[in-house]
Amino acid sequence: QKEVEQNSGPLSVPEGAIASLNCTYSDRVSQSFFWYRQYSGKSPELIMSIYSNGDKEDGRFTAQLNKASQYVSLLIRDSQPSDSATYLCAVRGGGADGLTFGKGTHLIIQP
Amino acid sequence: NAGVTQTPKFQVLKTGQSMTLQCAQDMNHNSMYWYRQDPGMGLRLIYYSASEGTTDKGEVPNGYNVSRLNKREFSLRLESAAPSQTSVYFCASSERGFNEKLFFGSGTQLSVL
């Protein structure tokens, strides 16, 4: 059974600070890693993808991957109130059966 | 650009009733998926279709059937709805490949009384 673990939160971060979201996964052959953002009552939207070890930056977002430790993280710099949402970590293994999602971390950015 | 379109957005059923959730995508994607999302449980895969003409069970397939009507459309059927199927259902599609990014529809809020 593939598992993706996230701290459910809520994680409360002051506006302008760095928010750090973490995720671990159980399937060692996992190849692709994604972060989705989901606002309350809305569908998940993709914000970052990462496929190789190291860091990947896109604007205020940085995804970090460490396959040896089976660990993925998302950093949000200069956090804004509009970043308040649930962040879902998703992992794709070696098969064709879609993504396995974590239960999500609820992030609150305090003005 | 419509992306992934799901209908209906809301539905209330009585126990034992049947219904079909419809999903269509206009991105020429090969793979389509049905997920359900419950509080505290995250998104769980019900069924998926890796390509036109194929369907496979996901993590929680019991009580559901699917049809990949053509490359664009993938429907989910509840033959005899149960209260445990009260959930938010999301359809998604993707290109097939290791960098498989899922694009989601807006969801269907289903309540079974």
PDB file of all heavy atoms in Angstrom, chain B residues 46-75:
ATOM      1  N   ILE B  46     -10.778   6.032  -7.053  1.00  0.00           N
ATOM      2  CA  ILE B  46     -11.853   5.046  -7.175  1.00  0.00           C
ATOM      3  C   ILE B  46     -11.579   4.137  -8.370  1.00  0.00           C
ATOM      4  O   ILE B  46     -11.486   2.916  -8.247  1.00  0.00           O
ATOM      5  CB  ILE B  46     -13.213   5.743  -7.362  1.00  0.00           C
ATOM      6  CG1 ILE B  46     -13.482   6.731  -6.220  1.00  0.00           C
ATOM      7  CG2 ILE B  46     -14.330   4.698  -7.419  1.00  0.00           C
ATOM      8  CD1 ILE B  46     -14.708   7.607  -6.464  1.00  0.00           C
ATOM      9  N   TYR B  47     -11.490   4.722  -9.544  1.00  0.00           N
ATOM     10  CA  TYR B  47     -11.196   4.020 -10.791  1.00  0.00           C
ATOM     11  C   TYR B  47     -10.367   4.944 -11.667  1.00  0.00           C
ATOM     12  O   TYR B  47     -10.409   6.157 -11.523  1.00  0.00           O
ATOM     13  CB  TYR B  47     -12.491   3.674 -11.551  1.00  0.00           C
ATOM     14  CG  TYR B  47     -13.112   2.349 -11.236  1.00  0.00           C
ATOM     15  CD1 TYR B  47     -14.104   2.233 -10.274  1.00  0.00           C
ATOM     16  CD2 TYR B  47     -12.731   1.196 -11.925  1.00  0.00           C
ATOM     17  CE1 TYR B  47     -14.689   1.006  -9.991  1.00  0.00           C
ATOM     18  CE2 TYR B  47     -13.321  -0.037 -11.654  1.00  0.00           C
ATOM     19  CZ  TYR B  47     -14.298  -0.121 -10.686  1.00  0.00           C
ATOM     20  OH  TYR B  47     -14.886  -1.336 -10.421  1.00  0.00           O
ATOM     21  N   TYR B  48      -9.663   4.337 -12.603  1.00  0.00           N
ATOM     22  CA  TYR B  48      -8.955   5.134 -13.575  1.00  0.00           C
ATOM     23  C   TYR B  48      -8.984   4.441 -14.927  1.00  0.00           C
ATOM     24  O   TYR B  48      -9.269   3.242 -15.028  1.00  0.00           O
ATOM     25  CB  TYR B  48      -7.501   5.416 -13.143  1.00  0.00           C
ATOM     26  CG  TYR B  48      -6.616   4.190 -13.072  1.00  0.00           C
ATOM     27  CD1 TYR B  48      -5.737   3.871 -14.101  1.00  0.00           C
ATOM     28  CD2 TYR B  48      -6.627   3.375 -11.945  1.00  0.00           C
ATOM     29  CE1 TYR B  48      -4.921   2.762 -14.018  1.00  0.00           C
ATOM     30  CE2 TYR B  48      -5.819   2.262 -11.859  1.00  0.00           C
ATOM     31  CZ  TYR B  48      -4.959   1.959 -12.888  1.00  0.00           C
ATOM     32  OH  TYR B  48      -4.144   0.853 -12.810  1.00  0.00           O
ATOM     33  N   SER B  49      -8.693   5.236 -15.946  1.00  0.00           N
ATOM     34  CA  SER B  49      -8.631   4.731 -17.311  1.00  0.00           C
ATOM     35  C   SER B  49      -7.347   5.259 -17.920  1.00  0.00           C
ATOM     36  O   SER B  49      -7.218   6.453 -18.176  1.00  0.00           O
ATOM     37  CB  SER B  49      -9.842   5.214 -18.113  1.00  0.00           C
ATOM     38  OG  SER B  49      -9.684   4.903 -19.481  1.00  0.00           O
ATOM     39  N   ALA B  50      -6.390   4.369 -18.103  1.00  0.00           N
ATOM     40  CA  ALA B  50      -5.085   4.793 -18.613  1.00  0.00           C
ATOM     41  C   ALA B  50      -5.160   5.211 -20.072  1.00  0.00           C
ATOM     42  O   ALA B  50      -4.352   6.026 -20.529  1.00  0.00           O
ATOM     43  CB  ALA B  50      -4.063   3.673 -18.426  1.00  0.00           C
ATOM     44  N   SER B  51      -6.101   4.647 -20.802  1.00  0.00           N
ATOM     45  CA  SER B  51      -6.280   5.024 -22.203  1.00  0.00           C
ATOM     46  C   SER B  51      -7.682   4.620 -22.622  1.00  0.00           C
ATOM     47  O   SER B  51      -8.367   3.858 -21.925  1.00  0.00           O
ATOM     48  CB  SER B  51      -5.243   4.341 -23.091  1.00  0.00           C
ATOM     49  OG  SER B  51      -5.369   2.934 -23.005  1.00  0.00           O
ATOM     50  N   GLU B  52      -8.112   5.120 -23.762  1.00  0.00           N
ATOM     51  CA  GLU B  52      -9.439   4.792 -24.269  1.00  0.00           C
ATOM     52  C   GLU B  52      -9.584   3.275 -24.393  1.00  0.00           C
ATOM     53  O   GLU B  52      -8.707   2.606 -24.922  1.00  0.00           O
ATOM     54  CB  GLU B  52      -9.633   5.459 -25.626  1.00  0.00           C
ATOM     55  CG  GLU B  52     -11.011   5.295 -26.204  1.00  0.00           C
ATOM     56  CD  GLU B  52     -11.154   6.013 -27.531  1.00  0.00           C
ATOM     57  OE1 GLU B  52     -10.194   6.688 -27.959  1.00  0.00           O
ATOM     58  OE2 GLU B  52     -12.221   5.907 -28.148  1.00  0.00           O
ATOM     59  N   GLY B  53     -10.670   2.754 -23.853  1.00  0.00           N
ATOM     60  CA  GLY B  53     -10.928   1.325 -23.953  1.00  0.00           C
ATOM     61  C   GLY B  53     -10.453   0.515 -22.775  1.00  0.00           C
ATOM     62  O   GLY B  53     -10.702  -0.695 -22.701  1.00  0.00           O
ATOM     63  N   THR B  54      -9.779   1.144 -21.814  1.00  0.00           N
ATOM     64  CA  THR B  54      -9.304   0.417 -20.637  1.00  0.00           C
ATOM     65  C   THR B  54      -9.769   1.109 -19.361  1.00  0.00           C
ATOM     66  O   THR B  54      -9.835   2.343 -19.308  1.00  0.00           O
ATOM     67  CB  THR B  54      -7.771   0.327 -20.596  1.00  0.00           C
ATOM     68  OG1 THR B  54      -7.229   1.624 -20.358  1.00  0.00           O
ATOM     69  CG2 THR B  54      -7.222  -0.228 -21.892  1.00  0.00           C
ATOM     70  N   THR B  55     -10.111   0.309 -18.354  1.00  0.00           N
ATOM     71  CA  THR B  55     -10.417   0.852 -17.032  1.00  0.00           C
ATOM     72  C   THR B  55      -9.824  -0.082 -15.983  1.00  0.00           C
ATOM     73  O   THR B  55      -9.722  -1.303 -16.217  1.00  0.00           O
ATOM     74  CB  THR B  55     -11.932   0.986 -16.785  1.00  0.00           C
ATOM     75  OG1 THR B  55     -12.550  -0.294 -16.882  1.00  0.00           O
ATOM     76  CG2 THR B  55     -12.571   1.939 -17.788  1.00  0.00           C
ATOM     77  N   ASP B  56      -9.464   0.475 -14.842  1.00  0.00           N
ATOM     78  CA  ASP B  56      -8.878  -0.319 -13.759  1.00  0.00           C
ATOM     79  C   ASP B  56      -9.331   0.208 -12.416  1.00  0.00           C
ATOM     80  O   ASP B  56      -9.611   1.408 -12.267  1.00  0.00           O
ATOM     81  CB  ASP B  56      -7.344  -0.284 -13.827  1.00  0.00           C
ATOM     82  CG  ASP B  56      -6.799  -1.112 -14.958  1.00  0.00           C
ATOM     83  OD1 ASP B  56      -6.808  -2.359 -14.819  1.00  0.00           O
ATOM     84  OD2 ASP B  56      -6.401  -0.527 -15.978  1.00  0.00           O
ATOM     85  N   LYS B  57      -9.358  -0.688 -11.442  1.00  0.00           N
ATOM     86  CA  LYS B  57      -9.758  -0.311 -10.096  1.00  0.00           C
ATOM     87  C   LYS B  57      -8.645   0.454  -9.396  1.00  0.00           C
ATOM     88  O   LYS B  57      -7.470   0.175  -9.581  1.00  0.00           O
ATOM     89  CB  LYS B  57     -10.089  -1.570  -9.281  1.00  0.00           C
ATOM     90  CG  LYS B  57     -11.293  -2.328  -9.788  1.00  0.00           C
ATOM     91  CD  LYS B  57     -11.533  -3.591  -8.965  1.00  0.00           C
ATOM     92  CE  LYS B  57     -12.736  -4.364  -9.485  1.00  0.00           C
ATOM     93  NZ  LYS B  57     -12.975  -5.602  -8.695  1.00  0.00           N
ATOM     94  N   GLY B  58      -9.081   1.405  -8.586  1.00  0.00           N
ATOM     95  CA  GLY B  58      -8.142   2.119  -7.733  1.00  0.00           C
ATOM     96  C   GLY B  58      -8.219   1.600  -6.314  1.00  0.00           C
ATOM     97  O   GLY B  58      -8.460   0.414  -6.084  1.00  0.00           O
ATOM     98  N   GLU B  59      -8.068   2.499  -5.364  1.00  0.00           N
ATOM     99  CA  GLU B  59      -8.008   2.124  -3.948  1.00  0.00           C
ATOM    100  C   GLU B  59      -9.378   1.761  -3.365  1.00  0.00           C
ATOM    101  O   GLU B  59      -9.484   0.876  -2.517  1.00  0.00           O
ATOM    102  CB  GLU B  59      -7.409   3.288  -3.156  1.00  0.00           C
ATOM    103  CG  GLU B  59      -7.241   3.054  -1.667  1.00  0.00           C
ATOM    104  CD  GLU B  59      -6.750   4.293  -0.936  1.00  0.00           C
ATOM    105  OE1 GLU B  59      -6.422   5.301  -1.610  1.00  0.00           O
ATOM    106  OE2 GLU B  59      -6.698   4.267   0.309  1.00  0.00           O
ATOM    107  N   VAL B  60     -10.447   2.441  -3.819  1.00  0.00           N
ATOM    108  CA  VAL B  60     -11.775   2.259  -3.206  1.00  0.00           C
ATOM    109  C   VAL B  60     -12.852   2.047  -4.277  1.00  0.00           C
ATOM    110  O   VAL B  60     -13.771   2.854  -4.417  1.00  0.00           O
ATOM    111  CB  VAL B  60     -12.126   3.458  -2.294  1.00  0.00           C
ATOM    112  CG1 VAL B  60     -11.298   3.442  -1.031  1.00  0.00           C
ATOM    113  CG2 VAL B  60     -11.946   4.791  -3.040  1.00  0.00           C
ATOM    114  N   PRO B  61     -12.828   0.941  -5.034  1.00  0.00           N
ATOM    115  CA  PRO B  61     -13.757   0.769  -6.155  1.00  0.00           C
ATOM    116  C   PRO B  61     -15.130   0.199  -5.800  1.00  0.00           C
ATOM    117  O   PRO B  61     -16.059   0.257  -6.617  1.00  0.00           O
ATOM    118  CB  PRO B  61     -13.002  -0.222  -7.044  1.00  0.00           C
ATOM    119  CG  PRO B  61     -12.253  -1.073  -6.053  1.00  0.00           C
ATOM    120  CD  PRO B  61     -11.844  -0.131  -4.954  1.00  0.00           C
ATOM    121  N   ASN B  62     -15.269  -0.373  -4.599  1.00  0.00           N
ATOM    122  CA  ASN B  62     -16.508  -1.074  -4.263  1.00  0.00           C
ATOM    123  C   ASN B  62     -17.711  -0.149  -4.285  1.00  0.00           C
ATOM    124  O   ASN B  62     -17.710   0.923  -3.690  1.00  0.00           O
ATOM    125  CB  ASN B  62     -16.386  -1.742  -2.897  1.00  0.00           C
ATOM    126  CG  ASN B  62     -15.404  -2.894  -2.908  1.00  0.00           C
ATOM    127  OD1 ASN B  62     -15.022  -3.379  -3.975  1.00  0.00           O
ATOM    128  ND2 ASN B  62     -14.962  -3.306  -1.737  1.00  0.00           N
ATOM    129  N   GLY B  63     -18.771  -0.579  -4.986  1.00  0.00           N
ATOM    130  CA  GLY B  63     -20.003   0.189  -5.077  1.00  0.00           C
ATOM    131  C   GLY B  63     -20.067   1.114  -6.277  1.00  0.00           C
ATOM    132  O   GLY B  63     -21.058   1.823  -6.452  1.00  0.00           O
ATOM    133  N   TYR B  64     -19.030   1.076  -7.106  1.00  0.00           N
ATOM    134  CA  TYR B  64     -18.941   1.961  -8.273  1.00  0.00           C
ATOM    135  C   TYR B  64     -18.656   1.155  -9.542  1.00  0.00           C
ATOM    136  O   TYR B  64     -18.038   0.101  -9.495  1.00  0.00           O
ATOM    137  CB  TYR B  64     -17.823   2.982  -8.101  1.00  0.00           C
ATOM    138  CG  TYR B  64     -17.892   3.812  -6.858  1.00  0.00           C
ATOM    139  CD1 TYR B  64     -17.170   3.446  -5.716  1.00  0.00           C
ATOM    140  CD2 TYR B  64     -18.653   4.975  -6.804  1.00  0.00           C
ATOM    141  CE1 TYR B  64     -17.220   4.205  -4.564  1.00  0.00           C
ATOM    142  CE2 TYR B  64     -18.700   5.746  -5.656  1.00  0.00           C
ATOM    143  CZ  TYR B  64     -17.981   5.355  -4.542  1.00  0.00           C
ATOM    144  OH  TYR B  64     -18.025   6.122  -3.401  1.00  0.00           O
ATOM    145  N   ASN B  65     -19.102   1.716 -10.663  1.00  0.00           N
ATOM    146  CA  ASN B  65     -18.702   1.231 -11.972  1.00  0.00           C
ATOM    147  C   ASN B  65     -18.338   2.429 -12.839  1.00  0.00           C
ATOM    148  O   ASN B  65     -18.804   3.549 -12.585  1.00  0.00           O
ATOM    149  CB  ASN B  65     -19.836   0.441 -12.644  1.00  0.00           C
ATOM    150  CG  ASN B  65     -20.014  -0.910 -12.015  1.00  0.00           C
ATOM    151  OD1 ASN B  65     -19.089  -1.725 -11.984  1.00  0.00           O
ATOM    152  ND2 ASN B  65     -21.199  -1.168 -11.482  1.00  0.00           N
ATOM    153  N   VAL B  66     -17.522   2.191 -13.853  1.00  0.00           N
ATOM    154  CA  VAL B  66     -17.112   3.282 -14.732  1.00  0.00           C
ATOM    155  C   VAL B  66     -17.240   2.853 -16.187  1.00  0.00           C
ATOM    156  O   VAL B  66     -17.269   1.661 -16.505  1.00  0.00           O
ATOM    157  CB  VAL B  66     -15.652   3.731 -14.469  1.00  0.00           C
ATOM    158  CG1 VAL B  66     -15.527   4.431 -13.112  1.00  0.00           C
ATOM    159  CG2 VAL B  66     -14.684   2.556 -14.582  1.00  0.00           C
ATOM    160  N   SER B  67     -17.309   3.876 -17.033  1.00  0.00           N
ATOM    161  CA  SER B  67     -17.311   3.652 -18.475  1.00  0.00           C
ATOM    162  C   SER B  67     -16.438   4.710 -19.134  1.00  0.00           C
ATOM    163  O   SER B  67     -16.642   5.905 -18.892  1.00  0.00           O
ATOM    164  CB  SER B  67     -18.730   3.732 -19.051  1.00  0.00           C
ATOM    165  OG  SER B  67     -19.541   2.708 -18.555  1.00  0.00           O
ATOM    166  N   ARG B  68     -15.477   4.246 -19.935  1.00  0.00           N
ATOM    167  CA  ARG B  68     -14.704   5.201 -20.751  1.00  0.00           C
ATOM    168  C   ARG B  68     -15.374   5.203 -22.110  1.00  0.00           C
ATOM    169  O   ARG B  68     -15.126   4.360 -22.962  1.00  0.00           O
ATOM    170  CB  ARG B  68     -13.245   4.760 -20.852  1.00  0.00           C
ATOM    171  CG  ARG B  68     -12.374   5.746 -21.615  1.00  0.00           C
ATOM    172  CD  ARG B  68     -12.084   6.980 -20.828  1.00  0.00           C
ATOM    173  NE  ARG B  68     -11.310   7.957 -21.563  1.00  0.00           N
ATOM    174  CZ  ARG B  68      -9.993   8.076 -21.513  1.00  0.00           C
ATOM    175  NH1 ARG B  68      -9.276   7.231 -20.777  1.00  0.00           N
ATOM    176  NH2 ARG B  68      -9.385   9.018 -22.198  1.00  0.00           N
ATOM    177  N   LEU B  69     -16.263   6.163 -22.304  1.00  0.00           N
ATOM    178  CA  LEU B  69     -17.122   6.201 -23.474  1.00  0.00           C
ATOM    179  C   LEU B  69     -16.330   6.469 -24.749  1.00  0.00           C
ATOM    180  O   LEU B  69     -16.635   5.931 -25.820  1.00  0.00           O
ATOM    181  CB  LEU B  69     -18.202   7.251 -23.270  1.00  0.00           C
ATOM    182  CG  LEU B  69     -19.043   7.063 -21.990  1.00  0.00           C
ATOM    183  CD1 LEU B  69     -19.931   8.268 -21.748  1.00  0.00           C
ATOM    184  CD2 LEU B  69     -19.852   5.775 -22.070  1.00  0.00           C
ATOM    185  N   ASN B  70     -15.358   7.324 -24.651  1.00  0.00           N
ATOM    186  CA  ASN B  70     -14.459   7.678 -25.751  1.00  0.00           C
ATOM    187  C   ASN B  70     -13.269   8.374 -25.118  1.00  0.00           C
ATOM    188  O   ASN B  70     -13.146   8.400 -23.884  1.00  0.00           O
ATOM    189  CB  ASN B  70     -15.170   8.573 -26.786  1.00  0.00           C
ATOM    190  CG  ASN B  70     -15.917   9.705 -26.128  1.00  0.00           C
ATOM    191  OD1 ASN B  70     -15.313  10.467 -25.368  1.00  0.00           O
ATOM    192  ND2 ASN B  70     -17.217   9.810 -26.380  1.00  0.00           N
ATOM    193  N   LYS B  71     -12.405   8.971 -25.913  1.00  0.00           N
ATOM    194  CA  LYS B  71     -11.217   9.579 -25.327  1.00  0.00           C
ATOM    195  C   LYS B  71     -11.584  10.751 -24.425  1.00  0.00           C
ATOM    196  O   LYS B  71     -10.906  11.036 -23.451  1.00  0.00           O
ATOM    197  CB  LYS B  71     -10.259  10.051 -26.425  1.00  0.00           C
ATOM    198  CG  LYS B  71      -8.902  10.464 -25.896  1.00  0.00           C
ATOM    199  CD  LYS B  71      -7.917  10.719 -27.012  1.00  0.00           C
ATOM    200  CE  LYS B  71      -6.538  11.016 -26.448  1.00  0.00           C
ATOM    201  NZ  LYS B  71      -5.544  11.239 -27.510  1.00  0.00           N
ATOM    202  N   ARG B  72     -12.667  11.441 -24.691  1.00  0.00           N
ATOM    203  CA  ARG B  72     -13.028  12.641 -23.953  1.00  0.00           C
ATOM    204  C   ARG B  72     -13.795  12.350 -22.665  1.00  0.00           C
ATOM    205  O   ARG B  72     -13.701  13.110 -21.717  1.00  0.00           O
ATOM    206  CB  ARG B  72     -13.900  13.545 -24.824  1.00  0.00           C
ATOM    207  CG  ARG B  72     -13.241  14.195 -26.001  1.00  0.00           C
ATOM    208  CD  ARG B  72     -14.186  15.192 -26.654  1.00  0.00           C
ATOM    209  NE  ARG B  72     -14.578  16.261 -25.760  1.00  0.00           N
ATOM    210  CZ  ARG B  72     -15.802  16.427 -25.255  1.00  0.00           C
ATOM    211  NH1 ARG B  72     -16.770  15.560 -25.525  1.00  0.00           N
ATOM    212  NH2 ARG B  72     -16.075  17.450 -24.461  1.00  0.00           N
ATOM    213  N   GLU B  73     -14.588  11.277 -22.642  1.00  0.00           N
ATOM    214  CA  GLU B  73     -15.578  11.113 -21.590  1.00  0.00           C
ATOM    215  C   GLU B  73     -15.340   9.885 -20.711  1.00  0.00           C
ATOM    216  O   GLU B  73     -15.039   8.781 -21.210  1.00  0.00           O
ATOM    217  CB  GLU B  73     -16.966  11.024 -22.214  1.00  0.00           C
ATOM    218  CG  GLU B  73     -17.356  12.276 -22.982  1.00  0.00           C
ATOM    219  CD  GLU B  73     -18.669  12.099 -23.735  1.00  0.00           C
ATOM    220  OE1 GLU B  73     -18.676  11.365 -24.755  1.00  0.00           O
ATOM    221  OE2 GLU B  73     -19.671  12.656 -23.270  1.00  0.00           O
ATOM    222  N   PHE B  74     -15.527  10.091 -19.402  1.00  0.00           N
ATOM    223  CA  PHE B  74     -15.320   9.016 -18.430  1.00  0.00           C
ATOM    224  C   PHE B  74     -16.387   9.182 -17.363  1.00  0.00           C
ATOM    225  O   PHE B  74     -16.385  10.170 -16.625  1.00  0.00           O
ATOM    226  CB  PHE B  74     -13.910   9.143 -17.846  1.00  0.00           C
ATOM    227  CG  PHE B  74     -13.466   8.010 -16.963  1.00  0.00           C
ATOM    228  CD1 PHE B  74     -13.776   6.691 -17.266  1.00  0.00           C
ATOM    229  CD2 PHE B  74     -12.694   8.254 -15.844  1.00  0.00           C
ATOM    230  CE1 PHE B  74     -13.335   5.641 -16.478  1.00  0.00           C
ATOM    231  CE2 PHE B  74     -12.239   7.214 -15.034  1.00  0.00           C
ATOM    232  CZ  PHE B  74     -12.563   5.912 -15.355  1.00  0.00           C
ATOM    233  N   SER B  75     -17.323   8.230 -17.271  1.00  0.00           N
ATOM    234  CA  SER B  75     -18.442   8.370 -16.350  1.00  0.00           C
ATOM    235  C   SER B  75     -18.295   7.422 -15.166  1.00  0.00           C
ATOM    236  O   SER B  75     -17.677   6.362 -15.259  1.00  0.00           O
ATOM    237  CB  SER B  75     -19.766   8.118 -17.066  1.00  0.00           C
ATOM    238  OG  SER B  75     -19.818   6.795 -17.554  1.00  0.00           O
TER     239      SER B  75
END
